[in-house]
Amino acid sequence: MRRPRSSRFAACIAALCLATSAVAQERTVSVTIRPAVERPSTVFEGWGTALAWFAHVTGGWPEADRARLADLFYGTDGLGWTIARYNIGGGNAADTPAYLRPGAAIPGFWRQPSGATGRDWWRADDAAMWDWSQDANQRWWLDAIRVRVREPIFEAFSNSPPWFMTVSGRVSGAEKGTDDNLRPGYERPFADYMARVVDELQHRHGITFRTLSPVNEPNTDYWFAKNTQEGAHWSPARQAMMIDATDAALKARGLATVIAAPDETNSHLFLQDWAAYPVATRARVGQLNVHSYGTVNQTGVRDVARASGIKLWMSENDTPLDKDPQDFEGMPSALAFAEHVVLDLKRLEPAAWVFWQATENTALSGPGSNWGLVKADLRVPAAGPHDIHVTRKYWAMAQFSRYIRPGYRLVPVDDLDTAGALSPDGRTLVLVHVNGGINPRALTLPRGWHTQMVLTDRSHTASCVIGTTVPARAIATLLLTRSTQKTPCATGR
């Protein structure tokens, strides 16, 4: 029977109330967290970012803007990062039309002599062929980090050789993405180029590059001449030759810098590369670097590090939620990112976790993307003005980097959504828990600890809250201390 309109309206209101009530009253579930503090593993060195594109742009901004960014990432009231990866640019020929994405055209330090033609004019021992005024913007960040961080760790890395050492004549790759782009026989000249840059910048900026990574995401089909960033394919055999040559070049200059390799895009390809290296090449690698854009076989990389006795870094990642529309305040990408970090810490057990580009370009229009922790329009002229947007992903990163500090040791935790770390004195246990679901989670924690909770969700930005129940769609850092006396919520540093 058809109801009167007023009855239908009342029924609709009742149904809406019930639906609203159901959403608001999702049941709380209980989760027991069991950290194995008796089995600490990797000594953690810290968090950081690759400089590269965003530093090449923002290092030329007005002092107030670039200093604000440096404080956000490396300041004691920011993320407290301690690691930076400096990108040694290859650099295209001066007459190459601009085609690389904003910030990606990192200058090289070579100078082509007047009248020189072709690609065979380079002489590393000729002072006239070096230009140390280049890359001033990215280098500003080296100084900014040095004055903000007590014991910074610097790594140099290369995406491509200079254009005149390449087969295609372009730093974006060979014509085909599966072809090596370094000219045959140019391993030592390229190694000399990188070693000289490391040596020179150490002296000019008063820093130490602990490691140098000569290849980046090498055994992939990403790098072809028409793409919009620097990159080069390297077969495992050519990788080994480049590692050997770079090690020799560093030692010839008397540098303490050691090789980091292979900086592969994922663990699956890392294992292919490593398996193909000769024993002598493996012995020249002082640090293992892997990116985590794929998570298959991560424990295999962990095992390589353990068996080889070589330190392992997760040296590049950024994981926004796929197709998530650009939203500075949105939680979906923040949650996806935080969950990825938790799993990296649990499966790789790395000594460091390094972000890709801390500042990313805002979308032109439409959905855009949620790459980066801070968003700004990198196409705006250096003089500005510059709108700087701190996103929820930034605060997700803070949940980790403010509290899992250098010197802490990673500890196994039985819960898949929780990563843990123990302070050097054993009196502080940090647990980072990601709740990406719609049900609140009441956490049962080990006894004998005093607990504080820091929360990031739609309403909180790394804020201290009461209790140990993690709301839906939230990231919580649990700070457990041996003290029985309540203290103000810790800032993490």
Side-chain angles (χ1 to χ4, degrees), residues 326-362:
Q326 179 174 275
D327 182 356
F328 305 144
E329 298 298 325
M331 282 301 295
S333 281
L335 289 165
F337 166 70
E339 185 173 300
H340 190 100
V341 176
V342 164
L343 292 175
D344 279 354
L345 295 180
K346 293 172 78 71
R347 290 168 59 82
L348 286 170
E349 299 181 34
W353 201 99
V354 183
F355 200 81
W356 169 223
Q357 290 294 275
T359 302
E360 280 278 6
N361 203 16
T362 51

Side-chain angles (χ1 to χ4, degrees), residues 387-454:
D387 292 327
I388 296 172
H389 305 279
V390 178
T391 73
R392 286 290 177 205
K393 274 179 67 185
Y394 174 92
W395 296 109
M397 180 81 257
Q399 296 283 148
F400 294 91
S401 64
R402 287 184 173 184
Y403 305 103
I404 300 178
R405 301 301 298 162
Y408 279 52
R409 295 187 69 178
L410 301 181
V411 297
V413 183
D414 64 346
D415 177 62
L416 286 175
D417 291 320
T418 307
L422 189 67
S423 65
D425 64 5
R427 298 186 61 81
T428 301
L429 174 63
V430 178
L431 301 171
V432 184
H433 179 85
V434 181
N435 180 6
I438 61 174
N439 295 84
R441 293 176 180 171
L443 303 186
T444 300
L445 301 169
R447 294 180 179 179
W449 300 81
H450 172 62
T451 303
Q452 299 170 326
M453 187 164 76
V454 179

Side-chain angles (χ1 to χ4, degrees), residues 65-415:
D65 292 336
R66 64 187 183 181
R68 182 188 173 196
L69 288 177
D71 288 340
L72 280 169
F73 303 135
Y74 291 94
T76 56
D77 293 323
L79 294 179
W81 283 349
T82 58
I83 295 172
R85 302 186 74 223
Y86 174 82
N87 183 201
I88 299 176
N92 271 318
D95 58 356
T96 301
Y99 68 98
L100 299 176
R101 60 173 289 169
I106 307 295
F109 290 98
W110 47 267
R111 179 188 286 116
Q112 185 170 351
S114 177
T117 59
R119 286 183 283 170
D120 295 323
W121 45 267
W122 172 253
R123 299 292 181 273
D125 58 354
D126 186 344
M129 293 192 185
W130 293 93
D131 183 356
W132 299 112
S133 68
Q134 292 297 318
D135 201 23
N137 292 354
Q138 189 183 186
R139 290 166 61 183
W140 177 88
W141 277 87
L142 296 178
D143 295 329
I145 293 165
R146 176 176 50 79
V147 300
R148 284 169 172 80
V149 180
R150 186 176 63 181
E151 296 181 358
I153 300 174
F154 291 103
E155 176 170 272
F157 75 102
S158 167
N159 287 325
S160 171
W163 70 272
F164 50 86
M165 297 186 192
T166 68
V167 174
S168 68
R170 289 204 170 194
V171 297
S172 43
E175 293 302 319
K176 291 173 57 180
T178 52
D179 290 346
D180 293 345
N181 201 31
L182 182 71
R183 295 170 64 188
Y186 265 71
E187 285 80 9
R188 188 56 191 260
F190 181 35
D192 288 340
Y193 171 77
M194 290 186 289
R196 176 67 191 279
V197 171
V198 165
D199 195 4
E200 194 73 25
L201 295 190
Q202 287 188 151
H203 285 95
R204 289 175 180 264
H205 293 275
I207 63 172
T208 297
F209 285 108
R210 197 178 72 181
T211 47
L212 167 61
S213 175
V215 300
N216 177 67
E217 298 187 338
N219 194 11
T220 68
D221 59 0
Y222 301 165
W223 316 120
F224 53 93
K226 292 182 180 180
N227 91 79
T228 60
Q229 66 188 76
E230 286 195 348
H233 181 274
W234 302 82
S235 66
R238 293 295 296 280
Q239 292 176 45
M241 293 170 67
M242 196 64 236
I243 290 168
D244 294 346
T246 306
D247 180 63
L250 291 169
K251 289 176 177 173
R253 300 194 72 84
L255 299 177
T257 306
V258 299
I259 301 296
D263 258 314
E264 195 52 90
T265 190
N266 58 45
S267 292
H268 174 67
L269 289 176
F270 173 103
L271 294 173
Q272 286 188 16
D273 297 343
W274 186 256
Y277 290 174
V279 172
T281 297
R282 292 183 180 185
R284 294 184 176 96
V285 176
Q287 179 175 293
L288 298 171
N289 280 10
V290 69
H291 303 175
S292 63
Y293 293 112
T295 56
V296 173
N297 300 147
Q298 283 189 306
T299 53
V301 175
R302 177 205 64 192
D303 291 349
V304 166
R306 288 179 176 177
S308 305
I310 304 176
K311 183 178 299 181
L312 171 66
W313 275 18
M314 199 305 294
S315 54
E316 182 187 314
N317 183 263
D318 182 2
T319 310
L321 186 66
D322 187 38
K323 299 181 178 62
D324 183 25
Q326 179 174 275
D327 182 356
F328 305 144
E329 298 298 325
M331 282 301 295
S333 281
L335 289 165
F337 166 70
E339 185 173 300
H340 190 100
V341 176
V342 164
L343 292 175
D344 279 354
L345 295 180
K346 293 172 78 71
R347 290 168 59 82
L348 286 170
E349 299 181 34
W353 201 99
V354 183
F355 200 81
W356 169 223
Q357 290 294 275
T359 302
E360 280 278 6
N361 203 16
T362 51
L364 286 168
S365 62
S369 76
N370 287 292
W371 288 74
L373 302 176
V374 170
K375 305 284 282 207
D377 191 342
L378 301 181
R379 298 154 304 211
V380 169
H386 301 287
D387 292 327
I388 296 172
H389 305 279
V390 178
T391 73
R392 286 290 177 205
K393 274 179 67 185
Y394 174 92
W395 296 109
M397 180 81 257
Q399 296 283 148
F400 294 91
S401 64
R402 287 184 173 184
Y403 305 103
I404 300 178
R405 301 301 298 162
Y408 279 52
R409 295 187 69 178
L410 301 181
V411 297
V413 183
D414 64 346
D415 177 62

